[in-house]
Amino acid sequence: MNAVDENSRRAPVRHAKFKARAAELLQSAGIEIDGGRPFDIRVHDPRLYTRAFAEGSMGVGEAYMDGWWDCPRLDEFFARLLGAHIDDKVLTWRDALHSLRARLINQQSRSRSFEIGRRHYDKGNRLYQCMLDKHMMYSCGYWKDAQTLDEAQEAKLDLICRKLGLKPGMKLLDIGCGWGGMLRYAAERHGVEGVGVTVSKEQAELARERCSGLPIDIRLEDYRNVEGRFDRIVSIGMFEHVGYKNYRTYMETARRLLADDGLFLLHCIGTPKSVTQTDPWIARYIFPNSMLPSARQITTAIEGLFLFEDWHNFGADYDPTLMQWLHNFRAHWDELKSDYDDRFYRMWTYYLQASAGSFRARRSQLWQLLLSPNGVPGGCRVAR
C-alpha cells in the first residue's frame, strides 16, 4: 500500500477523532454539531475537524468560505464560542508563527501603512454606501436613545462634538477620516475648519466629493507625515491599524499637532488582554496588519504626553451596529453581486457576524478616550 492509499485509509479515523474532540469543546459552549438550533453548526465536509485543529481560526474561517460548514446564526454561534473561551483552547503552530512574525516585524510601518487602504477600504465605495448609514460611519454607533442605524451614528457624531466642545472657527484634525462623515458633520453643525487624512484612495476621492463646498481638506497621507497645529483632534476607528510598535509614535504625533489647550478624542476598539497580533483569518481576509490595543498599552503610550479627561466604554453598542450592517449588506446583495463572488459573500457575512459575536460576548470593547495635554482647568464635564 502506498503512502497516498494509507493516508486515505486513515483519514476517516482522524476525522472521527477530531470530531469527538470538537463536539466536546463545542458542547462546553452549548453548541451541537448538526443540531437543530440556529446557533448549532451543520457540517458538510468531515475534513473540517482536522482542518480546524491543524490551522485554528484560519482553517475554520476558510472552511466556512469553502462551504464545508454552515450555521443559521453565526453571530450567536460566535457569542457562545467566544464567551466560553473555546478559541483559547485551540492554538496551533500557525498561531505561534503569526505571533512571532508580529513581534519581529513592524507590520504598520510607513512603508506598509497604505496596505490596509488598498486591501480593505478600497474594496469599492459602493459596497460601503450600501452597508453603512447616511454619514458613512464605519465605526460603532451610539444606541443609547437611537432606534435606527442613522440615528445611532448621528448620536455618536453629536456625542463626539459635545465632548470636544467644538466652536466656530476651530481647526479640527481627523486622523483616519474615512469618507469624511465626521468632518462634514462638524463643519455643518459647528462651523469648524477641518483636515482629514486617510490611507485609502477610494475613501479620499469620495470624501472630497461629499465635503465639497466646506472648509475641509482631505489628504491621502500617513498620520506620521501630518504637519500643522489644531485646536481639536479626533480619530475614529483608526487606532486599530496603528500597531503596538507604533502606539507611542502615534501619541507623540497627536501631541505635536495639538494646541496646548486642545482636546483629543480617540474612539477605538479595545481588548481586555494585551496582544501583539490579530486573529490570523481577520489579518489575511479583512484587516491586514490590524491589532486591538489594551488599556495598559494605551496608558503606557500616553504617559507624559496627555492626561485622561474621560474614558467611556459602550462596546455593547457595536453588536447592533454590526448586525445592522449585516442586514444592509444582505439587502443590497443583488446590486453588489456583479462586482463580488459568492465566496466574498460568505467571507463578508462571516466577518460581520463573528465581530458581532465578539462584542456580544464582551470579548471586544469600544472606548472613547478624551485626552488633554495639560488638563482642563477646573475639570472636564463630559457629555454622555
Side-chain angles (χ1 to χ4, degrees):
M1 181 180 292
N2 61 38
V4 174
D5 291 337
E6 179 65 14
N7 285 334
S8 297
R9 186 182 68 81
R10 291 181 178 179
V13 177
R14 289 199 304 271
H15 298 333
K17 173 185 174 182
F18 286 120
K19 178 179 180 179
R21 176 59 176 150
E24 179 184 354
L25 286 171
L26 291 173
Q27 186 59 48
S28 67
I31 299 167
E32 294 182 3
I33 297 173
D34 296 326
R37 296 166 299 181
F39 50 80
D40 290 330
I41 68 170
R42 280 72 159 160
V43 177
H44 309 306
D45 192 318
R47 292 177 296 171
L48 168 67
Y49 309 113
T50 305
R51 189 174 184 179
F53 284 102
E55 302 175 13
S57 70
M58 182 70 77
V60 172
E62 289 185 334
Y64 183 84
M65 293 164 63
D66 292 338
W68 288 17
W69 66 282
D70 277 297
C71 178
R73 287 293 303 274
L74 272 174
D75 56 308
E76 189 57 28
F77 165 78
F78 276 108
R80 290 169 178 266
L81 190 82
L82 296 173
H85 292 264
I86 303 301
D87 55 316
D88 294 333
K89 301 173 184 177
V90 185
L91 297 176
T92 70
W93 65 268
R94 295 174 188 269
D95 297 314
L97 184 62
H98 183 70
S99 177
L100 178 62
R101 182 173 181 269
R103 289 178 180 273
L104 294 177
I105 302 171
N106 184 354
Q107 298 181 88
Q108 301 82 14
S109 63
R110 290 175 193 261
S111 62
R112 294 169 174 263
S113 64
F114 283 78
E115 184 177 352
I116 180 63
R118 291 190 297 269
R119 290 178 54 189
H120 186 84
Y121 298 103
D122 289 349
K123 286 186 181 295
N125 284 330
R126 185 59 186 154
L127 167 66
Y128 296 104
Q129 287 173 315
C130 287
M131 188 176 81
L132 305 179
D133 65 295
K134 66 181 181 181
H135 295 288
M136 292 194 71
M137 298 305 300
Y138 194 20
S139 56
C140 183
Y142 190 50
W143 291 84
K144 179 173 175 284
D145 299 309
Q147 299 298 317
T148 67
L149 181 62
D150 279 350
E151 291 175 356
Q153 293 293 13
E154 187 144 328
K156 186 260 297 294
L157 293 173
D158 175 68
L159 179 70
I160 290 172
C161 290
R162 287 187 289 130
K163 286 182 177 180
L164 286 172
L166 295 182
K167 297 178 181 178
M170 281 185 170
K171 292 186 64 177
L172 172 66
L173 170 66
D174 187 342
I175 302 176
C177 65
W179 293 274
M182 175 70 219
L183 288 171
R184 178 177 172 178
Y185 183 90
E188 291 178 339
R189 303 295 181 92
H190 298 276
V192 305
E193 301 175 17
V195 171
V197 295
T198 175
V199 293
S200 165
K201 182 176 180 290
E202 292 210 14
Q203 278 189 338
E205 289 176 354
L206 186 55
R208 290 176 186 132
E209 179 183 323
R210 289 168 57 85
C211 295
S212 177
L214 295 169
I216 295 171
D217 179 18
I218 302 295
R219 305 173 184 172
L220 186 65
E221 185 175 32
D222 183 279
Y223 69 93
R224 285 162 284 207
N225 296 332
V226 177
E227 298 293 337
R229 197 73 163 168
F230 299 89
D231 301 297
R232 299 289 189 268
I233 298 177
V234 66
S235 186
I236 305 172
M238 179 272 178
F239 196 62
E240 299 87 334
H241 304 307
V242 170
Y244 81 105
K245 289 180 179 291
N246 307 297
Y247 289 156
R248 183 67 178 183
T249 298
Y250 177 92
M251 294 299 178
E252 289 173 341
T253 301
R255 179 62 191 93
R256 171 175 60 83
L257 296 170
L258 185 63
D260 291 341
D261 61 349
L263 290 172
F264 170 32
L265 188 139
L266 179 67
H267 173 115
C268 69
I269 300 172
T271 179
K273 181 180 179 181
S274 295
V275 297
T276 56
Q277 77 285 330
T278 194
D279 174 84
W281 185 86
I282 289 289
R284 175 176 292 181
Y285 291 101
I286 307 299
F287 295 115
N289 306 329
S290 62
M291 188 179 304
L292 301 184
S294 69
R296 180 166 68 97
Q297 289 169 330
I298 291 176
T299 57
T300 299
I302 74 159
E303 187 171 335
L305 296 173
F306 292 105
L307 298 177
F308 284 100
E309 298 293 349
D310 187 59
W311 192 311
H312 186 185
N313 180 0
F314 53 97
D317 286 18
Y318 228 137
D319 181 1
T321 302
L322 284 152
M323 294 305 291
Q324 188 59 56
W325 291 346
L326 175 69
H327 171 80
N328 291 346
F329 174 72
R330 285 173 167 168
H332 288 91
W333 179 242
D334 281 346
E335 62 189 273
L336 292 169
K337 63 184 180 182
S338 60
D339 295 322
Y340 307 92
D341 59 18
D342 290 340
R343 185 175 170 83
F344 178 88
Y345 179 87
R346 291 182 69 86
M347 178 191 78
W348 205 253
T349 56
Y350 184 89
Y351 144 58
L352 293 173
Q353 292 178 89
S355 300
S358 180
F359 284 99
R360 195 174 306 165
R362 303 310 305 277
R363 290 285 297 274
S364 299
Q365 309 298 315
L366 189 286
W367 297 326
Q368 278 192 358
L369 284 63
L370 188 64
L371 309 172
S372 67
N374 302 301
V376 175
C380 192
R381 303 292 181 264
V382 177
R384 281 290 187 270

